[in-house]
Amino acid sequence: MSDYILETQGLVKAFGGFTAVKDVALKVRPNTVHALIGPNGAGKTTVFNLLTKFMPPTSGQIFFKGKEITNKTPVQVARQGLVRSFQISAVFSGLTVFENLRVALARPLGLSYKFWRHLDSLKSTDARATELMEAVGLTEFRDIRAADLAYGRKRALELATTLALDPELVLLDEPMAGLGQEDIAGISKLIHALKADRTVIMVEHNLSVVADLSDTITVLQRGEILAEGNYASVSTDKRVVEAYLGGDYE
């Protein structure tokens, strides 16, 4: 068995004459938070899209739990336990917090929810929906429509609906984007708690969040891995400082 929950070998993505991802080899250990960072245009989003199968690689291989998933579809890898959230919140705005979670739980619990059926058909999900609400701090907002939630609480609800799929590996696309400091603290606490029984890969621009949460950081530049390690090592790497700040590092 591999020591890594996710690995890539020689991952390449080319668009015509432009190569957005060049020979990327990732190794992600289970029950850790692994951050992908880099300046704008570094290839972070493209790597994310390759890992979650929203985009096929030009070449290279992707392995999840020791099995190759290079040619799998997004639905297939999600069912295997690899699930992503998006930078733009994706919840049903007309449903309450509790209703959103009931719908999200329909698939992993083997239910087939039809939108013409009453939500009471999902009563078997109530206990787990309540647990998820508590986990992300939304219990008091149980009957509030998602459209009426503050932005930070919408992001918490999105994270809860992602967890409803019971993933082993969660990929978070800029989880702190647009959040105020209070909301950042809350979401950070949630992400930190996740690694007790899950693995997290995140793309994040907030370097203080990266420093606080990440066990391993992979720095990308122009589609290639520039540096990798813990925050202490990558933050003092001459190449990383130059990539972020420009000019010479002394």
Side-chain angles (χ1 to χ4, degrees):
M1 292 290 291
S2 172
D3 292 331
Y4 306 99
I5 189 169
L6 183 126
E7 290 184 71
T8 69
Q9 297 176 3
L11 203 60
V12 174
K13 183 62 182 178
F15 300 93
F18 172 68
T19 302
V21 173
K22 306 173 184 177
D23 197 29
V24 166
L26 283 178
K27 292 184 176 182
V28 179
R29 293 187 180 277
N31 302 109
T32 62
V33 176
H34 193 120
L36 295 180
I37 69 170
N40 290 335
K44 304 182 296 295
T45 298
T46 303
V47 169
F48 236 49
N49 287 333
L50 294 172
L51 295 180
T52 51
K53 311 313 303 153
F54 282 81
M55 187 180 288
T58 302
S59 60
Q61 295 173 292
I62 305 170
F63 297 89
F64 177 53
K65 296 188 294 185
K67 296 182 179 180
E68 187 170 4
I69 61 167
T70 310
N71 297 316
K72 300 290 185 182
T73 66
V75 171
Q76 287 172 326
V77 298
R79 288 175 177 169
Q80 290 180 26
L82 189 159
V83 177
R84 94 180 264 182
S85 72
F86 293 85
Q87 185 177 347
I88 299 173
S89 185
V91 294
F92 294 109
S93 60
L95 299 183
T96 67
V97 168
F98 194 64
E99 289 167 346
N100 264 283
L101 290 171
R102 290 170 104 191
V103 172
L105 285 163
R107 172 64 70 178
L109 293 183
L111 302 176
S112 179
Y113 176 65
K114 308 297 184 183
F115 281 91
W116 57 85
R117 291 182 183 170
H118 196 277
L119 280 169
D120 283 348
S121 64
L122 298 178
K123 277 190 176 295
S124 62
T125 67
D126 286 4
R128 180 58 178 150
T130 299
E131 289 176 2
L132 287 168
M133 277 193 308
E134 292 173 353
V136 300
L138 290 177
T139 301
E140 64 183 289
F141 304 98
R142 179 188 191 281
D143 298 318
I144 303 298
R145 290 192 322 147
D148 298 325
L149 293 174
Y151 184 69
R153 294 189 181 108
K154 284 182 182 176
R155 297 309 300 265
L157 177 56
E158 182 190 32
L159 183 55
T161 58
T162 301
L163 295 179
L165 298 173
D166 199 24
E168 293 182 55
L169 176 58
V170 183
L171 291 96
L172 303 177
D173 190 2
E174 296 193 36
M176 307 303 171
L179 297 183
Q181 195 57 45
E182 182 178 344
D183 290 326
I184 286 174
I187 298 297
S188 293
K189 184 177 179 181
L190 291 174
I191 293 172
H192 180 74
L194 286 181
K195 69 178 183 179
D197 55 5
R198 306 178 199 275
T199 306
V200 177
I201 303 176
M202 66 177 182
V203 168
E204 181 54 55
H205 285 291
N206 187 322
L207 293 184
S208 64
V209 169
V210 170
D212 289 341
L213 291 178
S214 303
D215 299 289
T216 304
I217 300 167
T218 298
V219 185
L220 296 174
Q221 185 183 36
R222 300 188 185 93
E224 299 179 275
I225 294 179
L226 181 65
E228 190 168 81
N230 59 26
Y231 186 79
S233 65
V234 301
S235 64
T236 56
D237 188 298
K238 175 180 177 180
R239 298 165 301 167
V240 174
V241 175
E242 289 178 352
Y244 270 95
L245 301 179
D248 294 331
Y249 170 74
E250 296 181 1

